Amino acid sequence: MSIKWVLFVVCATSFLRSVASAGDVVSPLPGRFTKADASETPDFRRHVLPTMGRMGCNSRACHGSFQGQGGFHLSLFGYDFKSDYDALTAGQHPRIDLAHPENSLILNKPTSADNHGGGLRFPEGSWQYNVFRRWIETGAKGVSPGDAEFVRLTIAPAEVKFDHVGATAKLRIVASWSDGATEDVTAISRFRSNDDSVATIDEDGVITSRGPGDSHVVAFYDNGVQPIPVMLPMSDRVGSRYPDVAAPTLYDRLVIDKLRKLGVVPASTSTDAEFLRRVSLDLTGTLPGPKDIESFLADKSPDKRARKIDQLLETPAYAAWWTTKLCDLTGNNPQQQSDQIYKREQSRQWYEWIYRRVLENKAYDEIIAGLLLANGRDKPDQSYLDYCREMGSYFRQSKPADFTARKTMPYYLSRTNVRKPEEKALSVSYAMLGVRLECAQCHKHPFDQWTQKDFTQFQAFFQPVDVGVKPPSGPEAKQLREEVGIDKLGGKNRKQVIATIHERLEKNQPVPFTELYVNNRQIPPFQRQRMEQMLKNNPKFAAQLQKKGKAGTPPTVTPKLLGAEEVPLADAPDPRVKLMEWLRRKDNPYFARAWVNRTWAAYFGVGIVEPPDDMSQANPPSNRPLLDALAEGFVAHHYDMKWLHRTILNTAAYQRSWRTNASNQLDNHNFSHALVRRLPAEVVNDVLMQATANRQQAEAMQTSMENRAIGPALDKGDRYLLVAFGKPDRVVTCDCSRSNEPSLVQTVFLLNDAALRGRIDAGGWMQQVRQQIQPGKGRPVSPAASDALIREVFLRTVSRPPQEDEMKEAKNVVATAAGPVDGIRTLLWTMLNTKEFIVNH
């Protein structure tokens, strides 16, 4: 290559970048490389890798798979620039030939349908061919330190609103870089649709309307993930043709703003009986009692719904049900507790610690801080032996100490399934941020911004968090273990060792306990290996860190907040403190939104972000202004959970009927009507108890949680029922571990389960019915008494009085039975098997 030619290339490239830096958008790559004699030098990161991604070369089905294809492996979706460059240029079988570019495999394989497993990807002489060939001809330069970084994607149009099925719209994708350059990268971006029934998008960024509704299409380029709203109105009632709809709150107005765009008219307001049943089940996991229903229906005051919400928020059932939800979220499973002997007690203490705070309406961020910042020793100057005495005091049979009085709750981070830093990072990101980081453990997240480097730096917040015995308490712990004989626990002396432990606890003598503590002195071998691999794959990052490390050892990874700044370890002996400060910051994009979204999803059956634990860039909110406003209000009210519940439950959106109209019958995520939802497993268990219990027992269940499945006792509830109706085992870190889907097994259970028949027959309400209406000395049951019992059956099960036709049919059931008791029993069994009973609507 001549010096003149090299100078021309350099000048041409500099000219292009100077133009881009001046604010002009560089035209798309295909037009610049239509001809083989193009003078521009393609950039490896900006052009070569995205072109390969566009053609699917680095997808899961091809060379981006874990094992690669044909001996050639690329990083998934092409974000590991160094390893991809090495795969192309080095090794035994390099894919480029600098001396003879036309012989390069990167050119010959994709242009040969016969010799390429992936078939023909582009023809010889195409713009893709010319890009790759020109890159090789000009030296095949890779990524270097100091190169400009990707900044953002800008999409036009920012929103697409169609007016008929089959209409199309073309997207334009512009990438911006830190050197000021901007370029049209539409031709080398990837696209997907989040709902093909609403709109599809082809590889050129052309969107086609497929049906009424709304969704998003998503553009991917480099580290950019940008969703674009698309919609086709669901009726002609848009703009000036949209009716006046009551929107009493800010949040209702934001819901209506979206519905107006879609031409969706919301449902009417629910009846008082529907509202009472819905809010009681949603807020407290409990059916309203017959007396409460009658009183509420008779109340004619306009504020009775708001007053009922306030009343329910003060009940133990509210605290119990939302504690159950928080235990789901944080993984309270007795099988994963750290203590072999007291794991069930630990699980109950976990529940009670959260329950107390929910009951007292402690701020959500305060509860999370108690989990995230926990240490075994709540007092910094506490000795190991005193710590063991304290922990033992919580497990005494006589007068146990109050575990809920502890400032922090150490069991969340000491579970056996979150011992490693990466396991803690995954659990915290899921539970507290609603962010899924699993993919980023090994490669760039395909649907979000997170890289392996991001994950490694985030898990560094938990690097010093350990479970065991805090140095230098080792000798004390060893002596105590020998004294108690704890190391013999797994052998034939187990019963004797446990008896010794119980005896010492009752005497307030210490027994050995593991503890959660911060240890900044060592890096576990498995973590060192992961760090070394990460640094090997990220030489630029490693070079930056090596300045802070020691020769011959991998440098300590500096913790970095997700999408935010690094936290130098010198400023944070316990990095979790800085992490918690970030969670509480007003500009945190995840913490408040994650809880707000989960709470909204609990009340509507669908989140503003759905699924609620996937707050990724490719899964945007269905109504971003609504989510933002609720999150901002939550933070402004100091993470007051009762404020959040009260705010959502008082909206017109929550109080709408489940009955649809022509415009909203297909809507399932814009909150235009209530969704019919099957009851959660624990609630199914408890409402069956309520519906069949005698009047005094049913009333007691409103205030006593001890025998409730939503209460603290782990062995309460029908185990078969709980599994059949989808209670989560709290092992997998995913909202999907709870199933609220109906199944044939559930139907058969309600029809035929012997335990359920026993609940109906063995005492309870039916026993009271027998005593009340069993004819004595031939006296018949009065019509008024029979009607009252029929009405009570409806109130006990579907939380409303029977309608006129239902009353007539129920009377016939009772009249044609073998006797009035059998008739009432048959009616109760029938109502327990209705869809209306087993769902919330």
Side-chain angles (χ1 to χ4, degrees):
M1 184 181 296
S2 69
I3 294 177
K4 290 182 179 180
W5 177 249
V6 173
L7 289 174
F8 176 79
V9 170
V10 172
C11 291
T13 304
S14 299
F15 172 75
L16 283 170
R17 292 192 174 177
S18 66
V19 170
S21 299
D24 293 339
V25 177
V26 176
S27 61
L29 207 59
R32 288 150 42 202
F33 285 87
T34 300
K35 297 181 179 180
D37 59 355
S39 58
E40 179 186 348
T41 300
D43 183 276
F44 180 66
R45 177 177 178 180
R46 300 189 194 193
H47 305 132
V48 175
L49 281 182
T51 301
M52 296 179 74
R54 169 64 174 271
M55 294 185 299
C57 302
N58 50 27
S59 67
R60 289 191 185 94
C62 200
H63 300 289
S65 66
F66 183 76
Q67 71 276 11
Q69 291 286 348
F72 180 39
H73 179 256
L74 293 170
S75 64
L76 185 64
F77 300 124
Y79 197 74
D80 192 337
F81 313 127
K82 175 64 168 59
S83 67
D84 287 349
Y85 182 78
D86 289 344
L88 286 166
T89 62
Q92 294 182 343
H93 304 288
R95 260 52 187 177
I96 67 169
D97 187 338
L98 291 174
H100 304 92
E102 67 278 2
N103 294 333
S104 298
L105 290 177
I106 193 177
L107 294 175
N108 293 335
K109 280 282 189 178
T111 56
S112 173
D114 295 330
N115 297 324
H116 184 228
L120 179 68
R121 307 309 298 168
F122 54 81
E124 185 175 348
S126 64
W127 68 266
Q128 297 97 329
Y129 182 95
N130 294 335
V131 166
F132 292 149
R133 176 167 179 159
R134 185 67 188 139
W135 175 64
I136 300 168
E137 288 176 343
T138 54
K141 180 184 176 184
V143 176
S144 302
D147 283 356
E149 294 293 334
F150 172 81
V151 176
R152 65 180 175 275
L153 290 180
T154 303
I155 315 290
E159 180 181 88
V160 178
K161 186 175 181 180
F162 293 115
D163 58 8
H164 64 276
V165 173
T168 61
K170 178 77 164 66
L171 295 180
R172 186 189 190 213
I173 318 298
V174 175
S176 298
W177 297 84
S178 59
D179 61 1
T182 56
E183 180 177 354
D184 186 327
V185 294
T186 309
I188 48 177
S189 296
R190 295 179 293 111
F191 304 97
R192 81 163 194 185
S193 171
N194 285 355
D195 188 346
D196 286 341
S197 69
V198 173
T200 56
I201 185 167
D202 67 16
E203 64 178 13
D204 296 318
V206 177
I207 310 170
T208 302
S209 172
R210 298 300 183 188
D214 69 298
S215 185
H216 291 81
V217 294
V218 188
F220 303 88
Y221 171 82
D222 197 87
N223 199 30
V225 181
Q226 185 66 45
I228 304 96
V230 294
M231 65 183 68
L232 174 65
M234 303 177 80
S235 78
D236 61 357
R237 306 189 73 176
V238 295
S240 61
R241 303 184 66 180
Y242 196 78
D244 289 333
V245 176
T249 71
L250 165 65
Y251 313 103
D252 285 310
R253 291 193 289 275
L254 294 173
V255 170
I256 295 300
D257 286 347
K258 176 70 178 295
L259 296 180
R260 185 179 291 110
K261 284 184 177 181
L262 287 167
V264 170
V265 179
S268 58
T269 302
S270 60
T271 66
D272 283 343
E274 288 172 342
F275 166 78
L276 180 61
R277 188 177 201 271
R278 182 189 303 170
V279 75
S280 298
L281 288 169
D282 280 343
L283 191 53
T284 69
T286 306
L287 284 172
K291 291 181 181 178
D292 291 332
I293 298 168
E294 300 278 26
S295 175
F296 188 77
L297 296 181
D299 188 348
K300 303 303 180 184
S301 57
D303 65 340
K304 68 178 183 180
R305 294 193 179 194
R307 286 189 289 108
K308 176 56 68 173
I309 292 167
D310 288 340
Q311 176 189 336
L312 292 173
L313 282 170
E314 300 305 318
T315 61
Y318 153 70
W321 181 223
W322 283 86
T323 295
T324 297
K325 289 178 178 292
L326 283 165
C327 286
D328 284 351
L329 185 64
T330 53
N332 180 6
N333 179 340
Q335 301 307 316
Q336 304 293 341
Q337 303 300 330
S338 58
D339 193 279
Q340 298 180 57
I341 300 174
Y342 294 110
K343 56 188 179 182
R344 293 181 65 81
E345 289 82 354
Q346 284 182 321
S347 185
R348 176 167 181 140
Q349 290 168 357
W350 182 334
Y351 177 99
E352 291 176 340
W353 188 91
I354 293 178
Y355 175 84
R356 173 175 174 173
R357 283 150 182 80
V358 176
L359 187 67
E360 296 174 353
N361 199 32
K362 297 298 183 183
Y364 174 71
D365 66 319
E366 183 179 327
I367 295 174
I368 295 301
L371 303 177
L372 183 60
L373 302 180
N375 289 298
R377 306 184 200 185
D378 248 358
K379 309 175 187 67
D381 57 346
Q382 189 175 40
S383 70
Y384 176 70
L385 292 180
D386 284 343
Y387 162 74
C388 289
R389 286 191 186 90
E390 179 202 331
M391 292 303 297
S393 71
Y394 302 130
F395 300 96
R396 289 196 301 256
Q397 294 296 313
S398 61
K399 298 181 180 179
D402 185 4
F403 181 83
T404 70
R406 280 183 57 98
K407 182 180 179 181
T408 65
M409 205 289 296
Y411 302 152
Y412 169 65
L413 288 178
S414 62
R415 290 171 291 160
T416 57
N417 59 339
V418 293
R419 290 294 173 84
K420 298 177 182 179
E422 59 263 37
E423 293 168 342
K424 290 180 172 65
L426 290 172
S427 178
V428 168
S429 66
Y430 152 78
M432 301 173 188
L433 302 174
V435 173
R436 299 177 180 178
L437 290 178
E438 290 90 339
C439 291
Q441 282 185 274
C442 303
H443 53 74
K444 164 73 170 63
H445 197 298
F447 305 122
D448 214 336
Q449 61 184 303
W450 313 122
T451 65
Q452 189 181 29
K453 173 183 171 182
D454 290 323
F455 180 82
T456 301
Q457 287 195 271
F458 184 69
Q459 75 171 24
F461 282 103
F462 308 99
Q463 181 61 54
V465 181
D466 209 344
V467 177
V469 178
K470 182 179 181 180
S473 301
E476 290 178 299
K478 181 179 179 182
Q479 181 179 347
L480 188 59
R481 291 178 68 87
E482 292 174 352
E483 187 176 332
V484 176
I486 196 73
D487 294 324
K488 301 176 182 178
L489 188 62
K492 62 182 180 180
N493 299 316
R494 177 180 176 85
K495 290 184 178 179
Q496 179 181 345
V497 173
I498 293 177
T500 300
I501 290 173
H502 289 329
E503 181 181 348
R504 290 177 68 94
L505 290 180
E506 296 306 310
K507 295 178 179 179
N508 199 29
Q509 295 176 345
V511 298
F513 282 93
T514 58
E515 58 178 317
L516 183 71
Y517 67 95
V518 175
N519 179 10
N520 286 304
R521 300 193 306 167
Q522 61 181 350
I523 300 176
F526 65 84
Q527 183 63 14
R528 178 180 294 273
Q529 183 178 7
R530 176 176 284 276
M531 288 165 56
E532 289 173 342
Q533 184 62 43
M534 189 280 299
L535 295 171
K536 180 180 177 182
N537 294 337
N538 296 271
K540 180 179 176 181
F541 181 46
Q544 295 171 350
L545 293 177
Q546 195 64 46
K547 297 177 182 179
K548 306 174 185 178
K550 297 180 180 180
T553 63
T556 301
V557 175
T558 301
K560 184 175 183 292
L561 303 165
L562 290 177
E565 71 274 8
E566 291 186 343
V567 177
L569 288 173
D571 299 338
D574 184 350
R576 296 176 300 166
V577 174
K578 295 293 184 181
L579 177 59
M580 190 66 225
E581 290 175 359
W582 173 66
L583 295 187
R584 285 173 159 145
R585 276 180 4 198
K586 289 184 178 180
D587 64 347
N588 185 292
Y590 305 108
F591 181 59
R593 285 170 176 79
W595 181 247
V596 163
N597 185 57
R598 282 187 165 111
T599 303
W600 184 277
Y603 290 132
F604 286 85
V606 62
I608 306 171
V609 173
E610 182 65 25
D613 62 347
D614 185 19
M615 300 189 73
S616 65
Q617 291 180 323
N619 186 42
S622 60
N623 191 325
R624 189 179 298 276
L626 174 63
L627 181 60
D628 290 346
L630 278 168
E632 289 166 7
F634 187 45
V635 174
H637 286 81
H638 310 291
Y639 301 95
D640 183 339
M641 290 194 290
K642 285 188 178 179
W643 173 89
L644 182 60
H645 294 304
R646 190 178 293 111
T647 297
I648 295 174
L649 296 175
N650 276 300
T651 61
Y654 176 77
Q655 297 184 23
R656 290 193 179 109
S657 172
W658 57 272
R659 298 173 180 84
T660 60
N661 55 53
S663 71
N664 73 358
Q665 60 184 344
L666 297 179
D667 174 43
N668 59 11
H669 63 265
N670 286 301
F671 324 116
S672 62
H673 61 90
L675 297 180
V676 176
R677 298 166 276 139
R678 204 215 69 207
L679 298 177
E682 299 91 335
V683 178
V684 172
N685 180 90
D686 289 355
V687 298
L688 285 170
M689 289 176 58
Q690 278 186 272
T692 57
N694 67 43
R695 296 180 181 97
Q696 294 74 28
Q697 292 170 338
E699 187 171 345
M701 287 182 68
Q702 301 281 343
T703 55
S704 174
M705 299 298 111
E706 192 58 40
N707 293 316
R708 299 279 303 272
I710 65 170
L714 300 178
D715 55 352
K716 298 302 179 183
D718 185 312
R719 291 188 180 182
Y720 179 79
L721 179 155
L722 294 173
V723 172
F725 283 84
K727 180 182 178 181
D729 56 14
R730 297 175 180 169
V731 173
V732 179
T733 303
C734 179
D735 283 12
C736 61
S737 60
R738 175 181 289 278
S739 172
N740 287 330
E741 296 299 317
S743 71
L744 180 60
V745 171
Q746 297 162 13
T747 302
V748 173
F749 175 89
L750 293 173
L751 285 170
N752 296 321
D753 184 72
L756 177 56
R757 292 199 303 270
R759 288 187 187 185
I760 297 174
D761 295 327
W765 184 65
M766 282 306 305
Q767 181 64 31
Q768 291 180 322
V769 170
R770 290 187 187 94
Q771 295 171 356
Q772 180 177 342
I773 70 169
Q774 190 72 45
K777 299 180 181 180
R779 291 196 301 270
V781 179
S782 70
S786 179
D787 289 355
L789 289 171
I790 290 173
R791 183 180 179 88
E792 187 173 353
V793 169
F794 274 77
L795 294 175
R796 279 176 163 265
T797 55
V798 293
S799 310
R800 61 172 177 82
Q803 297 174 4
E804 185 176 346
D805 59 332
E806 292 172 327
M807 190 67 176
K808 182 178 179 180
E809 186 174 350
K811 287 181 178 181
N812 184 58
V813 169
V814 174
T816 57
V821 173
D822 289 338
I824 294 297
R825 184 201 179 280
T826 299
L827 181 62
L828 175 60
W829 178 86
T830 301
M831 295 305 296
L832 293 177
N833 278 278
T834 61
K835 179 180 178 181
E836 187 176 356
F837 172 74
I838 207 65
V839 301
N840 196 358
H841 54 281

